[in-house]
Amino acid sequence: MNTAAYPILELVGLRKHYGDQEVLKGIDLRVRPGELVCVIGPSGSGKSSMLRCCNRLEECSGGQIVVDGTDLAAPGVNLNQVRQKIGMVFQQFNLYPHLNVLGNVTLALRKVQGYSRAKAQEKALAALARVGLADKADAWPAALSGGQQQRVGIARAIALEPRIVLFDEPTSALDPELVGSVLQVMQELRESGMTMLVVTHEMAFARAVADRVVFMDGGVIVEQGPPDAIFGAPRELRTQAFLQRVCS
């Protein structure tokens, strides 16, 4: 099958509600191989809920989630197998404090993918090198800066060689001076061809690096398009008002 002919991730009519509150109201979104899609919008617009539904960390209330040709909601689907194709980088770093950096990155390689200790360490060290932390393999999470911890989180995700990596506001918990190092790693991953769906408040990053920008508000996609179109000439009044607030 020609992988370029179909999306790695496809959301069709995705809905999510918590009790009577509907936070996703029919999301249609496709992410193609090698694409970096940035999702922007005000707090409470449903961005993170959408991202967490993509690997069923949150159960959707309706619609389809298709990852690399497999519907995550289909009866009998091997969810753990499909999740190996979906890397996830969280707002909080979610590192295990009782494991050193190498232990954090090798854990899923050994427990989920079944690699030997030696092979898992080889893959983990290669991933740490990609994020500029090969020299921190023996360090403990508490000894790292927030930016370094987040880069370990990225290494943990890419070590599994996923088809797509989801980033849920990866810089929101960082001090401003640490944001740049994480965005630089993400830009290098994008240049290497990694498929990425990024929920972010970093507008300059989205404008400079994204292939496509998606603006969400009120549980719907209001508009999407190339960064120059969204930031330079947004069509919708809600997009214009949001960007005026955050970019002025």
Side-chain angles (χ1 to χ4, degrees):
M1 182 182 292
N2 178 8
T3 56
Y6 73 101
I8 285 181
L9 174 68
E10 184 171 19
L11 308 179
V12 182
L14 183 66
R15 294 184 176 275
K16 173 67 180 177
H17 56 75
Y18 301 99
D20 293 334
Q21 183 185 13
E22 190 172 32
V23 295
L24 298 175
K25 304 174 181 178
I27 299 292
D28 294 317
L29 181 66
R30 291 157 187 82
V31 181
R32 298 196 171 275
E35 200 175 22
L36 191 162
V37 177
C38 282
V39 183
I40 64 172
S43 296
S45 59
K47 306 183 301 295
S48 291
S49 293
M50 178 190 73
L51 209 67
R52 293 173 68 85
C53 283
C54 289
N55 60 2
R56 284 181 55 187
L57 286 175
E58 297 270 5
E59 293 293 347
C60 67
S61 305
Q64 278 187 305
I65 305 163
V66 182
V67 176
D68 202 25
T70 300
D71 184 351
L72 264 64
V77 70
N78 186 331
L79 186 57
N80 286 333
Q81 189 175 63
V82 178
R83 277 179 171 159
Q84 292 181 47
K85 300 180 178 184
I86 314 169
M88 184 85 181
V89 178
F90 300 90
Q91 295 180 40
Q92 303 298 329
F93 320 125
N94 290 354
L95 300 182
Y96 293 104
H98 65 288
L99 296 177
N100 65 13
V101 165
L102 189 63
N104 269 277
V105 181
T106 57
L107 185 63
L109 289 165
R110 295 175 58 207
K111 300 296 186 182
V112 177
Q113 294 194 334
Y115 285 108
S116 67
R117 183 182 296 273
K119 183 65 175 177
Q121 289 188 358
E122 177 187 329
K123 293 178 74 67
L125 288 170
L128 287 167
R130 289 184 72 181
V131 302
L133 290 176
D135 61 332
K136 298 292 185 181
D138 296 326
W140 299 96
L144 302 179
S145 70
Q148 289 172 328
Q149 289 186 58
Q150 189 60 291
R151 283 152 61 196
V152 174
I154 295 173
R156 178 176 56 188
I158 65 175
L160 297 169
E161 298 181 0
R163 296 298 312 280
I164 183 170
V165 182
L166 312 176
F167 293 81
D168 187 7
E169 298 186 15
T171 60
S172 66
L174 300 179
D175 292 333
E177 67 269 21
L178 302 176
V179 168
S181 64
V182 173
L183 296 181
Q184 178 63 35
V185 166
M186 293 171 65
Q187 182 163 353
E188 290 168 1
L189 290 177
R190 181 251 185 278
E191 290 167 357
S192 75
M194 179 73 72
T195 307
M196 302 160 69
L197 179 60
V198 182
V199 170
T200 185
H201 287 120
E202 300 292 339
M203 298 299 145
F205 173 79
R207 185 165 194 167
V209 177
D211 294 298
R212 183 158 42 106
V213 175
V214 174
F215 173 66
M216 286 183 65
D217 193 14
V220 300
I221 292 177
V222 177
E223 68 176 298
Q224 59 181 301
D228 286 349
I230 297 299
F231 287 101
R235 300 186 309 272
E236 302 294 331
L237 289 176
R238 278 194 283 177
T239 317
Q240 295 168 16
F242 171 76
L243 291 175
Q244 191 168 32
R245 287 199 307 273
V246 300
C247 296
S248 58

